[in-house]
Amino acid sequence: MSAKIEFNQTSTLRLISVLCLCISDLCLIKDRWRYFFLFFLLMVSIELFRSKLYKVLLHHHETTVRIEKSEALKEHTANLASIQKSSK
């Protein structure tokens, strides 16, 4: 799929990640190195989780679309078969 699909779950995680990065920057300004590394590692782990979650959600979305298309195709072929039988 060429269009990028957005999911609410990943957008929320991205917001939390950005907030952690902002807090870590504030801790860096105040020379609180422990808190800086803590929030920085938290931000990195959230981003890794978000990327994996996005892949799973995208796969689920593609599978759902594929199933819907196959069901529509089955219905279409059934309609064509019924039209062929009625025309004979």
Side-chain angles (χ1 to χ4, degrees):
M1 297 185 158
S2 61
K4 179 137 172 104
I5 300 172
E6 293 293 327
F7 299 106
N8 290 335
Q9 298 90 344
T10 58
S11 298
T12 304
L13 285 174
R14 176 60 57 94
L15 177 65
I16 293 171
S17 174
V18 168
L19 287 174
C20 285
L21 187 61
C22 291
I23 292 171
S24 71
D25 285 342
L26 290 174
C27 291
L28 185 62
I29 291 171
K30 297 266 189 181
D31 281 338
R32 308 262 174 139
W33 289 98
R34 286 187 202 142
Y35 293 118
F36 166 73
F37 286 117
L38 175 74
F39 282 107
F40 188 77
L41 287 175
L42 184 62
M43 185 266 314
V44 169
S45 63
I46 289 172
E47 280 298 310
L48 290 173
F49 175 71
R50 185 200 61 80
S51 68
K52 289 183 181 186
L53 179 65
Y54 179 79
K55 289 178 185 176
V56 168
L57 289 173
L58 185 62
H59 177 71
H60 179 265
H61 174 73
E62 289 173 348
T63 305
T64 305
V65 168
R66 192 176 311 124
I67 290 171
E68 289 173 357
K69 284 183 180 179
S70 69
E71 288 174 355
L73 184 62
K74 286 178 186 177
E75 183 179 324
H76 182 68
T77 55
N79 288 340
L80 286 176
S82 67
I83 290 172
Q84 276 184 335
K85 285 181 182 180
S86 66
S87 67
K88 288 182 180 180

